[in-house]
Amino acid sequence: MKNCSAQFRSHLFGVIISLAAATVLISGCKTRPWSDRGFKPLFDGQTLTGWKLVNQKGDGYGVTNGVLFCTKDGGGNLLTEQEYENFILRFEFKLEDGSNNGLGIRAPLEGDAAYLGMEIQILEEGAAEKGKWGKLKPEQFHGSIYGVAAAQKGALNAPGEWNTQEVIANGRQIKVIVNGITVLDANLNEINDPTKIAKHPGLFRERGHLGFLGHGDYIEFRNIRIKELSRTPAYEGFTSIFNGDDLGGWKGLVGKPKERAAMSPAALAEAQIKADELAQTSWKVESGALVYRGTNYDNLVSAKDYVNFELLADWKIEPYADSGFYLRGTPQVQIWDPFTQPTKAGSEVGSGGLYNNKTNSSKPLLVADKPIGEWNRFRIIMAGDKVHVFLNGQLVADDVTLENYWQRELPLLPFGPIELQAHKSVVWFKNLYVRELHAPTQ
């Protein structure tokens, strides 16, 4: 009995060791599960509560057995009612052969989310490679920021199988992970192609809705959840152009461009001294803000010239005030009072339009101004001769050509200063920051 018992214990120990080894081997084959701490569901598995369908096509979207699906020959934009800025989004999806959809992020409710926000492409790659949609560009395949940044291909499971996807939007960094494989890790600040910037103002949108962009193909989604991240520092990647203490980095305005060009170096230097003296009289620094207190049209001019750039600027005005920003020394992104009655010279349209345009749009898309006396924020993007303007987070100028006010028969000046317009009224400026958009590498 003693020998038998020992043999049994030895055999049992061997079985335990074998089972433990098998468990380790099996565990090593599995994808490490996500930790969902801090996440909240966006889809309750039963209804579309919390979602809004925009531009519905066919039967739109439906819900069955815990799955949200885009109907065959249906779709539209199914967007969250809530807006999000920085987040980690996780979901599962299942494609059929040839399925096409998209994930909109930081998108407005209206308009094309792929351009006014961003679209992370959802696309069955087999059909794409076979040419179902013609010859696609690299940035049109699954996981790409549509039309902007290309994702790595080959991470999708076969049609009919479930996939996992994680999208991390943290400031200007966008990361996409498909089935555990990082297919995209893009810094939007490295997107410097003027053509892409002109077509995609949504790259600069700080927050918006997210959701699915159906194109008439059947696709299923489940386990949709989100974790919000902290806000990104507003000026990350930017350079301050106003120090809050004095007029360092700025100078007075000397005449018009053609007048300056005709001056001798000595005459220009003398005129600059006089312009700087006037600037010191008219422009004051008060409590960290740059304030125009003059009674003339003596603009304040950046000492540095710029080509393509993103400008952040806070401003506020008094009733009936009139001002603006000159870009490359050319007027202007308009600032004025749309509220005080009676309005003057068409100011009821609001600020942010390219006021001096004659052929191209000169009015903003909507009134986004805050009440008189409150601070407003511009985000102005200049790429080539195209301009986007966000006012208080709202896109008020979209891909508008800035015309050469000084010589309308000629193209826009290729470079020039940023100017703060003086128009005989009190205007306050602060938090002036610029991020230059350097030419893309070839």
Side-chain angles (χ1 to χ4, degrees):
M1 290 294 293
K2 185 175 181 181
N3 290 338
C4 181
S5 176
Q7 290 175 355
F8 175 78
R9 287 196 300 271
S10 177
H11 175 72
L12 180 61
F13 180 76
V15 170
I16 292 172
I17 293 298
S18 297
L19 288 173
T23 300
V24 170
L25 180 62
I26 292 172
S27 298
C29 295
K30 291 181 179 178
T31 301
R32 184 178 180 181
W34 279 327
S35 170
D36 277 345
R37 177 179 295 180
F39 283 76
K40 64 178 182 180
L42 290 179
F43 170 52
D44 64 15
Q46 299 177 328
T47 69
L48 294 180
T49 300
W51 298 80
K52 182 174 183 179
L53 181 55
V54 182
N55 298 324
Q56 179 174 344
K57 299 179 179 68
D59 291 331
Y61 291 78
V63 177
T64 182
N65 298 322
V67 169
L68 186 159
F69 63 91
C70 180
T71 62
K72 182 72 174 176
D73 299 321
N77 294 352
L78 184 66
L79 300 171
T80 57
E81 292 177 351
Q82 183 175 335
E83 291 189 340
Y84 297 92
E85 182 174 344
N86 295 334
F87 56 84
I88 303 173
L89 175 70
R90 293 173 177 170
F91 62 96
E92 298 173 45
F93 65 99
K94 183 166 62 175
L95 302 169
E96 291 187 337
D97 183 31
S99 291
N100 180 17
N101 203 284
L103 171 69
I105 64 173
R106 295 179 183 161
L109 281 177
E110 302 295 335
D112 193 331
Y115 299 93
L116 301 181
M118 283 179 279
E119 177 180 356
I120 308 299
Q121 179 73 300
I122 297 176
L123 192 74
E124 198 276 299
E125 290 178 349
E129 296 286 8
K130 294 174 184 175
K132 176 180 177 179
W133 299 282
K135 184 173 177 58
L136 297 183
K137 297 178 180 179
E139 59 269 24
Q140 292 177 308
F141 281 84
H142 184 87
S144 300
I145 302 176
Y146 183 84
V148 175
Q152 172 188 331
K153 293 187 288 185
L156 288 172
N157 293 328
E161 297 181 12
W162 284 101
N163 300 271
T164 63
Q165 183 154 315
E166 179 175 273
V167 177
I168 305 171
N170 193 7
R172 295 287 173 86
Q173 198 73 29
I174 307 297
K175 188 173 184 178
V176 179
I177 303 169
V178 178
N179 295 324
I181 300 172
T182 299
V183 299
L184 178 79
D185 195 355
N187 183 345
L188 300 181
N189 282 351
E190 296 176 357
I191 307 299
N192 293 322
D193 184 336
T195 302
K196 289 183 178 180
I197 291 172
K199 291 177 64 177
H200 293 268
L203 296 174
F204 303 92
R205 188 182 291 274
E206 292 183 285
R207 63 186 294 110
H209 306 273
L210 59 86
F212 302 112
L213 315 177
H215 303 303
D217 294 317
Y218 186 82
I219 180 173
E220 295 181 352
F221 302 95
R222 69 183 184 187
N223 296 330
I224 308 166
R225 54 230 192 263
I226 194 168
K227 179 180 180 179
E228 294 190 74
L229 304 176
S230 59
R231 298 198 67 182
T232 308
Y235 311 113
E236 189 172 79
F238 287 76
T239 299
S240 173
I241 57 173
F242 169 53
N243 61 26
D245 295 319
D246 55 38
L247 301 188
W250 296 85
K251 60 184 180 180
L253 176 64
V254 176
K256 300 175 182 178
K258 288 183 69 174
E259 295 170 348
R260 293 195 298 272
M263 290 181 178
S264 67
L268 180 59
E270 184 179 354
Q272 188 63 65
I273 292 173
K274 294 180 180 179
D276 290 345
E277 290 174 350
L278 180 59
Q280 291 292 336
T281 300
S282 299
W283 292 87
K284 304 297 182 182
V285 177
E286 302 173 4
S287 302
L290 190 54
V291 187
Y292 183 71
R293 295 287 185 185
T295 57
N296 296 291
Y297 300 94
D298 45 324
N299 293 1
L300 194 63
V301 183
S302 66
K304 180 177 178 178
D305 287 338
Y306 296 91
V307 181
N308 296 331
F309 56 87
E310 180 180 3
L311 170 67
L312 290 177
D314 294 347
W315 55 269
K316 68 178 181 178
I317 57 175
E318 62 180 0
Y320 287 124
D322 190 337
S323 185
F325 284 86
Y326 285 32
L327 311 180
R328 296 189 201 153
T330 302
Q332 86 207 38
V333 177
Q334 179 70 10
I335 294 174
W336 54 6
D337 175 5
F339 302 123
T340 306
Q341 299 296 321
T343 57
K344 295 182 178 180
S347 65
E348 65 275 2
V349 301
S351 301
L354 274 57
Y355 177 80
N356 294 95
N357 275 357
K358 296 297 184 185
T359 302
N360 298 281
S361 174
S362 63
K363 298 178 181 179
L365 298 172
L366 70 159
V367 178
D369 302 62
K370 291 187 177 180
I372 300 303
E374 293 187 15
W375 285 101
N376 297 266
R377 167 157 292 187
F378 268 153
R379 182 183 299 273
I380 300 170
I381 300 97
M382 179 152 214
D385 62 356
K386 301 295 185 180
V387 177
H388 302 307
V389 180
F390 290 87
L391 174 55
N392 300 320
Q394 299 293 316
L395 184 64
V396 295
D398 176 11
D399 191 22
V400 181
T401 299
L402 178 61
E403 299 168 14
N404 187 339
Y405 172 79
W406 307 112
Q407 293 176 281
R408 293 194 179 275
E409 71 281 4
L410 297 179
L412 187 68
L413 299 173
F415 60 88
I418 294 168
E419 296 183 27
L420 309 182
Q421 186 189 36
H423 214 281
K424 294 187 174 184
S425 50
V426 181
V427 185
W428 293 258
F429 300 93
K430 68 177 181 179
N431 297 328
L432 302 176
Y433 288 82
V434 166
R435 184 178 68 87
E436 294 187 74
L437 308 178
H438 298 288
T441 56
Q442 300 298 320

